[in-house]
């Protein structure tokens, strides 16, 4: 389910050249970042493990005779008189086994990602994109015209984050066509083509609102960043 980034050196060169070409007509600075996944989602695994433990306890409470009978047969048919302490100990053991077993199963990343609700995945991708933007592009240009195209492969999610000068003049929905063009290519397995398409369309919008001045200099790296 999770798709890892598979880019060749030629792909990286194509993306960098697309950034340079797009910036030739604008004062805007485009940064591209691609990552395998935006989060480990270990906290989600903890939640599912806790849910499994609680469900196991609930099942024990709903049908105690059934589960105690199973244990009875497991130890060879010897009937036990269960004391309250023994019952609580059994419940604790069952909960611990369910929690630990679920946690071990969810060490498999594809399953952990699949069990993460989409709104959580989308929020984590957005948060990581914003963090990358703050570190690598925000307020790092003279006119605060930096923009980030961020692609997270495992979540099948892309984000565009722009500096304040751009957000003041370009509504977020304007980037929708660039996003659609990128995702369409990536869905066909063409990651580099998708990034190039997005860069090209973002460059057109930036050139319209922030045309390149004669003394403009390149302030941010053109290369594709892989994290």
């Amino acid at each position: 389910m999770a798709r890892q980034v598979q880019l060749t050196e030629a792909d990286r060169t194509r993306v960098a050249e697309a950034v340079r070409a797009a910036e030739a007509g604008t004062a805007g600075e485009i940064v591209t970042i691609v990552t395998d996944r935006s989060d480990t989602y270990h906290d989600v695994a903890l939640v599912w493990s806790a849910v499994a433990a609680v469900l196991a306890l609930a099942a024990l409470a709903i049908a105690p005779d059934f589960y105690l009978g199973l244990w009875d047969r497991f130890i060879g048919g010897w009937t036990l008189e269960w004391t309250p302490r023994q019952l609580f100990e059994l419940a604790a053991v069952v909960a611990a086994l369910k929690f630990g077993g679920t946690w071990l199963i969810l060490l498999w990343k594809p399953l952990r990602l699949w069990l993460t609700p989409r709104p959580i995945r989308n929020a984590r991708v957005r948060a990581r994109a914003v963090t990358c933007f703050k570190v690598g592009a925000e307020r790092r240009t003279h006119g605060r015209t930096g923009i980030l195209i961020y692609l997270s492969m495992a979540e099948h999610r892309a984000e565009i984050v722009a500096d304040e000068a751009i957000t003041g003049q370009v509504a977020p929905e304007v980037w929708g066509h660039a996003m659609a063009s990128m995702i369409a290519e990536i869905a066909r397995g063409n990651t580099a083509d998708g990034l190039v398409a997005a860069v090209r369309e973002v460059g057109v919008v930036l050139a319209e609102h922030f045309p390149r001045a004669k003394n403009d200099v390149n302030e941010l790296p053109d290369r594709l960043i892989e994290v």
Side-chain angles (χ1 to χ4, degrees), residues 140-212:
R140 289 180 177 269
T141 60
H142 177 71
R144 293 183 180 176
T145 55
I147 187 167
L148 168 67
I149 300 173
Y150 178 87
L151 177 61
S152 192
M153 298 299 292
E155 293 88 349
H156 300 173
R157 181 82 178 175
E159 293 284 346
I160 293 179
V161 187
D163 219 332
E164 58 188 58
I166 297 175
T167 57
Q169 295 194 41
V170 183
E173 56 267 22
V174 171
W175 309 118
H177 195 271
M179 295 280 282
S181 298
M182 174 166 57
I183 292 171
E185 289 292 345
I186 294 171
R188 290 192 285 265
N190 304 321
T191 303
D193 290 340
L195 288 166
V196 168
V199 167
R200 186 183 301 118
E201 296 198 27
V202 166
V204 170
V205 175
L206 291 177
E208 178 183 350
H209 294 276
F210 304 95
R212 186 182 180 93

Side-chain angles (χ1 to χ4, degrees), residues 30-100:
I30 302 171
V31 177
T32 55
I33 294 180
V34 63
T35 185
D36 284 332
R37 60 171 38 85
S38 293
D39 195 79
T40 60
Y41 303 101
H42 285 310
D43 57 331
V44 176
L46 285 173
V47 171
W48 278 113
S49 300
V51 169
V54 170
L55 290 176
L57 291 176
L60 190 60
I62 292 170
D65 292 339
F66 173 76
Y67 289 101
L68 292 178
L70 286 179
W71 177 255
D72 214 18
R73 286 192 293 273
F74 177 74
I75 62 174
W78 292 92
T79 302
L80 295 175
E81 285 294 332
W82 291 88
T83 66
R85 178 173 181 173
Q86 288 173 325
L87 288 172
F88 277 111
E89 288 175 347
L90 176 63
V93 169
V94 168
L97 289 175
K98 282 292 185 180
F99 185 95

